[in-house]
Amino acid sequence: MRWRGLPLDVLLAVSGVGLDLLTTAHAGDTRYLPAEMNIPMALLVGLPMGLVRRRPVPVALYLAGLLAVTDQLESFTSNTAQILVCVALGVVGYRSGWRATVLAVAAAMAATALNIVDPGIPVVMNTWVYSIFLAVFPAVLGAYLRGSAGPLEERDVTPDALLAAGGVAITVLSTWTSWHAGTQPVWVVGLLAVVGGLSLGIARRLPGVVFLLQGALLVSADTYLNQVVNTCVILTLIAIGVFAMRVTSWAWTIVAYAAGCMLTAIAVVGEETQTTPFRVGILMTLVATPIAIGRYLGMRQAAAAAERLRAEEAARAAVAQVRADQLAERERIARDVHDIVAHHVGAMVLRASAARYTAPDGPVADALTDIRETGHQVLQDLRDLLDLLRDPERQPDLLANPADVVRESAERMAAAGLVVDLELDPATDRAPLIARASAARIVQEGLTNVLKHAGPGTQVRVSVTPSAEGLSVRIRNGRPPTVVERLPSSGRGLAGMRERVRTLGGTLTAGPDGEGGWLLAASLPARSVA
Amino acid sequence: MIRVLVADDQALVRAGVRMLLQATGDMEVVGEAVDGAEAVRLAERHLPDVILMDLRMPRVDGLEAIKRVLAARPGARIVVLTTFAEDANVYAALRAGAVGFLVKDDEPERMVDAVRRAAAGEQLLAPSVLRRVVERFLDAEEQAAAPPPAGLTERELEVLALVGTGLSNAEIAEELHVGVTTVKTHIAAAMEKLGLRNRIQAAVVAHRTGLVDASFRPVRLPRP
């Protein structure tokens, strides 16, 4: 992510500043700050938003600090800081590791609590709930958006249509008698009922969003129109079920379960309700049911998909095997042809050599010399070809300069959107050809993998350098810039690389680099393989 | 007159060799064999000084013929004639006791010279080739599997070990601070005692009896 999407960063910064100017425009002199400080304060709070996509954690910490300071100064900018810190936390949750997220959330919680607690306002339970919720919610949302539910692969929309139709049927039929009962206009309630029902149609594609929407509807129904809250509970439970079906991570399932229990509690606990352990147990069990159903369906789907994938893989492997057999057969034939031809050419060369050795100088001797030379050349070529056939790893295209191959593949990948930083030590030209050629292959394969699994915009550092035992190849990529859909990978590319390196007597390691990226390191010995 | 037997299934090669050797004036072809079986028969009948043996022949191939000829007459000097020096059979033939090999598109002068040197009982192989041969044909379980060769003097064992490491005579002489002639004498004596025909076999014996370790370093034997 070099300065890709710069306009977006500028827009973020301008929006941040603009937001503060709008909220503080009416503010005159305050106790500590004169009115002319409004614009500098707006710049202080808004401009860092330009960096929020690149450095979310420092920006969130800065905004939390600024929130505390502005609150103490009784500046109106604290309101803006409160909003922006939530936005920054969302980005932190989306982009950063959990340690950094916890740090930022803790700082934001402290600042939020400080902001909410003011002299004259009693500290109640709600204060703490708000402080925690305001900081945790955006971070959780961001982390969720990072891609807990993989994209839905099936094209079939029948289940979605059925869900939408069922949702609308439930909401409309069970609530339309009470549409006029609340303080809201009938058309608002009706519209919400239809939208709430229809939204189930996209639940399989956006499980988190629909679950949030249903939660919001339930809370507002509980507040404004108690007659329809039971319908909302049903919809929420369906949304939880779909969520559990589509999101495979247990952590998110537990979060959804906790949220579901809370929402159901909000719906069923009224003014006079007595909370007993038994009732709590019943409620928690009931909420677990849709999760169990969703999980079961999700696993069955995953199993079916895995089975399909395995069948495809088996078919592909069978085809590959047939092709490999054909290729091996063709190689055998080619080798035999070469052997036979070489055998005869050798005899011809020997005959011509002997004749040349005994003949006096003259045109005949010259002709014999020509025949001898040509035959000798043919044999040389045949030997090279035989070497290639004996060593199928040495591919003719790599008989080109391997360094060029490395440079070309780096350029090709840069054109495809990777940000490649290539370090190709000129001293490597002294390594044996087979090691250099293998290094070139590893770079090709490694970069292809990065593009496949981390997607365009990823930063990759490729280095091919001489080492104590020969050549060292390192391909390290940073965290993917966006959530990419994980392409199915056979793992064959890596296995092939490993096999090649092993044949040369080298080592290859591949795995996460501990910073959200991936590192592929190979070391190739320089001894020429006889 | 050096008497030579040519065994090759290709008439072109046989005619070429005959022409080449006759042109030298001090060599003659006493027999031409078209396959391995005939080569063995003619070798017994003519007792040639040198046998030029193609490896790829119908019915009985060159490798088998070499083994049979040497079994019948251990002193026979056989030079392998091949199209490819990398042919695995070349190494097998050297291990079986061939004294060297020629590639069919070698210079004619070189061929003539090789036949002469083989007739004189010289070794045709560069020591550097030896290492590759041994590496290729020594199984891991062969390494140091046999007891140390009996009946050799300490000096002869030492020289044999150094042959096994792939050093040339000159290098061995330097290593032991003796003359090249002395080295040659020791090698000849050791090969005579062990019934070996060429340097390759000597190197293989050195490895098999543990005089040399798998990484081609000589092993100090405990003194008896």
Side-chain angles (χ1 to χ4, degrees):
Chain A
M1 189 158 93
R2 225 169 269 179
W3 294 96
R4 226 177 266 270
L6 187 62
L8 183 56
D9 293 323
V10 172
L11 184 71
L12 277 167
V14 171
S15 311
V17 175
L19 178 69
D20 189 57
L21 289 177
L22 284 175
T23 51
T24 59
H26 63 280
D29 297 345
T30 55
R31 185 145 53 123
Y32 299 102
L33 291 173
E36 50 267 24
M37 278 304 288
N38 280 349
I39 291 176
M41 287 306 284
L43 293 176
L44 273 179
V45 75
L47 285 182
M49 291 308 285
L51 290 173
V52 78
R53 289 170 59 233
R54 264 163 249 289
R55 299 265 175 278
V57 178
V59 170
L61 293 175
Y62 166 84
L63 286 171
L66 192 72
L67 173 59
V69 171
T70 47
D71 177 59
Q72 292 308 302
L73 290 176
E74 293 174 22
S75 155
F76 284 103
T77 303
S78 63
N79 300 324
T80 317
Q82 182 67 69
I83 295 168
L84 293 185
V85 83
C86 290
V87 175
L89 284 176
V91 182
V92 168
Y94 182 70
R95 278 204 186 281
S96 309
W98 67 272
R99 283 193 194 83
T101 309
V102 168
L103 175 73
V105 166
M109 267 187 213
T112 309
L114 193 69
N115 185 22
I116 292 175
V117 179
D118 276 331
I121 297 180
V123 179
V124 289
M125 183 67 188
N126 264 353
T127 315
W128 298 117
V129 172
Y130 268 115
S131 313
I132 292 170
F133 183 77
L134 271 178
V136 170
F137 182 72
V140 168
L141 192 64
Y144 172 76
L145 287 178
R146 191 190 288 187
S148 315
L152 200 62
E153 274 150 26
E154 56 179 288
R155 299 265 168 272
D156 187 13
V157 293
T158 316
D160 298 323
L162 288 175
L163 272 170
V168 172
I170 292 172
T171 50
V172 175
L173 290 177
S174 61
T175 63
W176 70 338
T177 49
S178 14
W179 281 3
H180 60 277
T183 48
Q184 308 299 320
V186 170
W187 66 269
V188 171
V189 182
L191 189 66
L192 284 177
V194 173
V195 168
L198 279 179
S199 70
L200 288 184
I202 54 167
R204 291 195 324 144
R205 280 153 221 286
L206 301 167
V209 174
V210 172
F211 179 42
L212 276 180
L213 174 76
Q214 298 296 352
L217 282 177
L218 185 144
V219 172
S220 35
D222 188 60
T223 316
Y224 299 110
L225 190 62
N226 221 310
Q227 292 89 325
V228 302
V229 83
N230 283 334
T231 308
C232 288
V233 170
I234 292 171
L235 284 195
T236 304
L237 290 181
I238 292 175
I240 289 183
V242 175
F243 184 94
M245 183 178 91
R246 293 281 300 118
V247 179
T248 50
S249 131
W250 279 109
W252 286 115
T253 310
I254 290 165
V255 169
Y257 176 64
C261 289
M262 253 173 51
L263 288 169
T264 324
I266 288 172
V268 299
V269 176
E271 295 293 318
E272 291 91 42
T273 319
Q274 282 204 316
T275 319
T276 63
F278 176 71
R279 287 179 178 175
V280 171
I282 289 284
L283 182 136
M284 290 179 75
T285 314
L286 287 180
V287 177
T289 310
I291 294 219
I293 293 171
R295 238 337 166 38
Y296 170 71
L297 290 176
M299 278 174 179
R300 264 192 39 183
Q301 272 188 350
E307 186 51 50
R308 228 187 2 256
L309 205 67
R310 225 195 350 265
E312 281 169 18
E313 197 63 49
R316 249 206 305 274
V319 171
Q321 186 57 51
V322 169
R323 282 188 45 197
D325 289 349
Q326 283 175 337
L327 213 60
E329 187 51 39
R330 276 218 297 256
E331 267 177 24
R332 262 196 298 279
I333 294 168
R335 209 174 298 152
D336 288 348
V337 169
H338 284 106
D339 270 357
I340 291 164
V341 172
H343 197 61
H344 290 291
V345 173
M348 285 153 66
V349 172
L350 194 146
R351 186 75 182 89
S353 297
R356 171 71 195 84
Y357 186 75
T358 54
D361 282 348
V364 174
D366 292 346
L368 288 169
T369 306
D370 284 349
I371 293 170
R372 187 191 136 62
E373 291 303 317
T374 310
H376 187 69
Q377 195 51 57
V378 168
L379 281 174
Q380 283 299 346
D381 292 346
L382 284 172
R383 279 174 194 137
D384 291 349
L385 277 167
L386 270 179
D387 277 352
L388 270 183
L389 284 176
R390 286 207 184 89
D391 182 6
E393 286 289 290
R394 265 174 56 190
Q395 308 219 352
D397 63 333
L398 280 175
L399 293 177
N401 182 5
D404 291 342
V405 176
V406 170
R407 272 190 286 270
E408 264 168 41
S409 66
E411 278 161 21
R412 227 189 11 255
M413 289 297 165
L418 289 183
V419 185
V420 184
D421 170 17
L422 175 66
E423 182 201 347
L424 183 58
D425 194 318
T428 53
D429 284 349
R430 287 199 290 276
L433 178 72
I434 191 88
R436 282 185 289 146
S438 299
R441 273 250 176 269
I442 289 168
V443 171
Q444 278 180 326
E445 188 79 37
L447 283 176
T448 309
N449 279 349
V450 173
L451 185 63
K452 202 154 65 173
H453 300 297
T458 311
Q459 289 199 14
V460 197
R461 179 162 173 70
V462 178
S463 64
V464 183
T465 49
S467 67
E469 57 270 23
L471 276 185
S472 151
V473 184
R474 284 171 66 86
I475 300 163
R476 183 174 184 167
N477 61 281
R479 176 187 294 285
T482 52
V483 178
V484 287
E485 52 177 293
R486 296 253 172 267
L487 287 172
S489 156
S490 60
R492 245 208 305 275
L494 195 61
M497 276 194 273
R498 220 183 275 286
E499 185 50 38
R500 166 191 294 271
V501 172
R502 213 179 48 79
T503 322
L504 291 175
T507 54
L508 183 140
T509 55
D513 66 350
E515 293 171 27
W518 185 268
L519 171 67
L520 175 77
S523 126
L524 300 161
R527 64 176 178 83
S528 44
V529 182
Chain B
M1 243 337 154
I2 298 170
R3 302 164 69 257
V4 181
L5 169 66
V6 188
D8 196 307
D9 57 325
Q10 289 174 297
L12 270 181
V13 173
R14 296 197 302 273
V17 170
R18 179 181 283 278
M19 194 174 185
L20 187 61
L21 297 186
Q22 270 165 351
T24 60
D26 63 338
M27 304 186 197
E28 57 173 346
V29 173
V30 295
E32 291 184 14
V34 298
D35 64 37
E38 195 180 7
V40 177
R41 267 203 314 282
L42 292 180
E44 278 177 22
R45 189 186 313 158
H46 296 294
L47 304 177
D49 298 316
V50 177
I51 303 173
L52 282 174
M53 183 83 77
D54 184 21
L55 289 177
R56 303 183 36 168
M57 291 189 285
R59 292 177 289 280
V60 177
D61 69 7
L63 184 57
E64 184 56 33
I66 289 171
K67 286 177 180 165
R68 289 189 199 173
V69 170
L70 286 171
R73 202 158 59 95
R77 295 191 224 295
I78 304 176
V79 177
V80 171
L81 204 52
T82 180
T83 311
F84 294 116
E86 294 79 29
D87 197 332
N89 283 330
V90 173
Y91 294 101
L94 291 172
R95 230 187 121 166
V99 296
F101 67 91
L102 283 170
V103 182
K104 286 176 186 172
D105 55 335
D106 270 337
E107 298 290 333
E109 293 79 6
R110 199 183 146 188
M111 291 192 179
V112 171
D113 177 59
V115 175
R116 253 196 214 107
R117 283 172 46 211
E122 278 183 53
Q123 183 70 44
L124 300 188
L125 283 180
S128 59
V129 178
L130 172 136
R131 206 179 156 124
R132 276 176 69 185
V133 180
V134 175
E135 265 180 349
R136 225 175 242 250
F137 286 94
L138 199 71
D139 304 339
E141 50 269 21
E142 261 191 290
Q143 181 73 38
L152 267 61
T153 68
E154 198 164 322
R155 210 51 165 163
E156 283 163 359
L157 283 175
E158 214 166 358
V159 171
L160 187 61
L162 290 170
V163 168
T165 64
L167 296 183
S168 67
N169 288 349
E171 287 165 328
I172 295 174
E174 201 173 311
E175 178 82 14
L176 299 176
H177 308 291
V178 295
V180 177
T181 326
T182 318
V183 172
K184 279 185 179 166
T185 313
H186 284 310
I187 294 179
M191 283 171 56
E192 179 71 30
K193 284 178 187 173
L194 299 172
L196 303 173
R197 276 183 291 272
N198 65 23
R199 228 182 153 91
I200 301 271
Q201 293 178 321
V204 170
V205 165
H207 281 264
R208 210 168 35 210
T209 57
L211 293 171
V212 186
D213 68 14
S215 52
F216 284 77
R217 278 193 301 266
V219 176
R220 285 258 158 253
L221 288 175
R223 288 168 187 270

